[in-house]
Amino acid sequence: MAKQKTKKQQPQELTPLERLGLRVSAMINAPRAQSERQVTIHRLDTDPDEAWDGVMDLLAETDGLEMTANEDGSVTLRWERQTDDDAPADDRDFEMVEKGESPF
């Protein structure tokens, strides 16, 4: 039986835009930000102009997201709680059960 050589794949380096996007996403998804429905994001010295501008453009295009530029260069994001009417439709079918009948 011949041994197959497997190439070790080098981990692919993230682009500055991807790194910043992941950082902002983590900040937005943090429990405190979710409960308060707002977060303030700061630009780091290591964030290139193109990456910051790219993320700001993506956020500006997001429906239901309010962006406020702060004097210190940070940006505060605010959003409303999603209602059931705004939630994506569920593809599952449900069967109605008559009163008194229990499937359990």
Side-chain angles (χ1 to χ4, degrees), residues 22-82:
L22 287 173
R23 190 174 85 233
V24 169
S25 178
M27 293 172 74
I28 290 170
N29 289 311
R32 184 173 181 174
Q34 287 297 305
S35 69
E36 295 177 2
R37 293 185 304 281
Q38 72 173 15
V39 66
T40 299
I41 57 175
H42 303 272
R43 181 176 177 181
L44 300 179
D45 293 337
T46 57
D47 295 330
D49 291 341
E50 300 82 27
W52 181 258
D53 294 342
V55 168
M56 292 301 108
D57 288 345
L58 288 171
L59 292 171
E61 294 173 3
T62 304
D63 290 336
L65 189 64
E66 177 187 323
M67 295 175 62
T68 304
N70 302 313
E71 289 182 20
D72 65 356
S74 65
V75 176
T76 300
L77 307 175
R78 291 182 182 86
W79 58 93
E80 294 296 321
R81 183 178 309 269
Q82 191 175 31

